[in-house]
Amino acid sequence: MPASFEWTLALRYLRFHRGRSFLSVITFISVAGFAVGTAALVIALALASGFEKDVRDRILRGSAHLQVLAAGGPSIEGADALAERVAAVPGVVAAGAVVYTPAMITADTTGVPGYGEVHGVDPVRHDKVVDLEGSGGDPFAPLRGEAGAHGIVLGRDLARRIGVGSGDTVRVVVPKMRLTPFAPIPRSRVYEVVGTFRSAGQDATRAYLTLDAARGLVDAGGRASWVEVRIDDLAKLELRKGEIARALGEGWIVMDLLEQNADLMKALNTEKLILFLAIGLIVVVASLNIVSTLILMVNDKIREIGTLTSMGAKPVEIARVFMLQGTVIGLAGTASGLALGVVAAGALDRWRMIPLNPDVYFMDHVPFAVRAGDVVAVGLVALAIAFTATLYPAIKAARLEPVDALRYE
């Protein structure tokens, strides 16, 4: 027999035949079911990737890309000079020293307390280090000039929680003791709220002072907690990180934001994997339609199978006919499902069809991000499932004996 007869028969069995429209309808349903399952998987992964991309972008946008810390202690002597050295490294956009301290921030008028993380920064330099949305545009602008020495910029949610706004005063209490004739007491100072800023995941706790004000609050002298760095291209994050480490030499630790938020990124990847497995069950269920279609096809073609076997067709060739038939069904369903999923996910993201309350979710719509790697993975998994679904019907057809196949016809 010709080597291509398996393909000829497989494609012939898939065509619409008058008088056997039931099998043709079942075949169409199998393709449609497989396409819907594949499309659902593509959309689900695009949803997970969209949230991951949004979280990643917000982390990198609202904070510096890199941090330089002293390996020998919690503070850096000569931090301003260190920031200048880092800023001179090629690829570094800006660098600035930061004085950090946890604090209790209390509204002077209402006495409502709130936990905060105070960052002392150079307001002239730091607007190039982090990208924040201030109440008046540049969040660090109110800290420049004489008013900045006694001013504080609060995160929007932090200010809302303790009930203050621009012009109000707050007391900042830090875990740094000051000796008095009676007993040690925590250091504290009163500042005027000169502005607020918005940044997803940070404006619930973060507050900014000028570098000098923060040093005076915690009695840090000329020291700083670390130096924050912004680079020119996030795609070169690891490269820039290594260049800065080599330029500074031993005694310094360079960390990136993704490294600091590794647990969060792992959690997002785990959720994506679980979503892939859960939605992937739809494809597995859809593959059962392929199994049932091929079983019906085998039962309908018993006489032809017997005839082919008596003419010399080998069992493996008979099996290959139905395996090819099931693979074509899976290929058609996978291709149409991938196209449908990519188009649907792109449309959902472009036209923002699923709106959200930005005050609750820090975004105004559900994001979708289609990644080529995800689409390829879905396609390969779907084809593997479709091929697996062909094995039982193909084996059943191959085991038919010519005499038994023709006896009942």
Side-chain angles (χ1 to χ4, degrees):
M1 284 192 177
S4 61
F5 88 95
E6 297 102 322
W7 268 112
T8 302
L9 286 178
L11 296 177
R12 180 188 173 198
Y13 290 164
L14 287 172
R15 295 173 189 165
F16 181 84
H17 294 281
R18 185 173 299 176
R20 293 182 176 179
S21 59
F22 176 74
L23 279 177
S24 299
V25 171
I26 292 296
T27 301
F28 175 78
I29 292 175
S30 298
V31 174
F34 213 74
V36 170
T38 304
L41 193 51
V42 171
I43 294 172
L45 290 183
L47 173 63
S49 297
F51 273 110
E52 179 188 352
K53 180 178 182 297
D54 187 83
V55 170
R56 182 189 181 103
D57 290 346
R58 288 175 184 273
I59 289 174
L60 294 174
R61 185 171 63 248
S63 297
H65 298 156
L66 298 169
Q67 280 186 351
V68 179
L69 302 94
S75 63
I76 300 174
E77 292 283 355
D80 296 327
L82 177 65
E84 294 292 341
R85 289 177 59 194
V86 174
V89 177
V92 173
V93 174
V98 175
V99 174
Y100 166 82
T101 179
M104 183 67 70
I105 303 175
T106 307
D108 256 6
T109 54
T110 62
V112 177
Y115 170 76
E117 297 179 349
V118 176
H119 287 226
V121 299
D122 181 348
V124 176
R125 175 180 296 178
H126 225 73
D127 66 333
K128 299 182 182 66
V129 177
V130 295
D131 183 11
L132 300 176
E133 180 184 343
S135 54
D138 180 3
F140 300 111
L143 295 179
R144 301 187 185 110
E146 295 182 4
H150 306 287
I152 188 170
V153 175
L154 301 177
R156 187 191 62 172
D157 286 352
L158 175 59
R160 182 185 300 171
R161 190 168 67 248
I162 63 178
V164 297
S166 295
D168 295 330
T169 56
V170 295
R171 180 171 292 275
V172 179
V173 183
V174 297
K176 178 79 173 180
M177 292 299 176
R178 181 178 61 190
L179 295 177
T180 69
F182 304 100
I185 60 173
R187 297 176 66 91
S188 68
R189 288 190 181 178
V190 176
Y191 298 94
E192 179 186 353
V193 178
V194 293
T196 60
F197 70 90
R198 180 181 180 184
S199 176
Q202 297 175 354
D203 52 14
T205 57
R206 185 169 295 187
Y208 284 101
L209 295 172
T210 65
L211 194 58
D212 291 336
R215 282 170 172 166
L217 177 63
V218 298
D219 192 24
R223 298 186 301 275
S225 303
W226 56 70
V227 170
E228 292 187 340
V229 185
R230 194 167 193 86
I231 62 174
D232 56 352
D233 187 357
L234 282 175
K236 300 178 181 178
L237 185 64
E238 288 297 324
L239 175 63
R240 299 289 183 247
K241 180 179 174 181
E243 290 174 345
I244 293 172
R246 287 191 294 272
L248 296 179
E250 296 182 359
W252 303 101
I253 299 173
V254 183
M255 298 182 63
D256 61 67
L257 270 181
L258 299 181
E259 189 178 13
Q260 296 172 25
N261 294 274
D263 291 339
L264 176 60
M265 303 309 295
K266 287 180 181 178
L268 291 174
N269 289 331
T270 301
E271 290 179 2
K272 185 176 181 179
L273 176 61
I274 293 174
L275 191 63
F276 179 85
L277 295 176
I279 305 299
L281 292 176
I282 297 177
V283 181
V284 175
V285 172
S287 70
L288 299 179
N289 288 333
I290 297 179
V291 176
S292 60
T293 299
L294 293 181
I295 290 176
L296 289 174
M297 192 69 69
V298 170
N299 291 333
D300 185 69
K301 303 298 182 183
I302 287 180
R303 183 174 182 178
E304 294 183 24
I305 294 172
T307 302
L308 289 170
T309 305
S310 63
M311 292 174 62
K314 300 177 182 178
V316 67
E317 294 173 331
I318 299 298
R320 195 177 297 145
V321 170
F322 293 95
M323 290 174 67
L324 290 173
Q325 184 179 355
T327 301
V328 170
I329 293 174
L331 185 62
T334 299
S336 55
L338 291 178
L340 177 62
V342 169
V343 171
L348 287 169
D349 185 69
R350 180 175 182 179
W351 286 290
R352 304 186 176 186
M353 295 182 178
I354 306 178
L356 295 175
N357 185 349
D359 292 331
V360 177
Y361 299 101
F362 300 105
M363 59 184 73
D364 58 2
H365 71 287
V366 175
F368 292 84
V370 179
R371 294 178 177 173
D374 292 341
V375 175
V376 172
V378 170
L380 293 177
V381 169
L383 290 176
I385 292 174
F387 178 78
T388 304
T390 67
L391 296 180
Y392 173 72
I395 293 173
K396 180 182 178 182
R399 287 179 176 176
L400 284 175
E401 295 292 338
V403 176
D404 294 334
L406 295 172
R407 178 185 302 170
Y408 302 103
E409 296 297 325

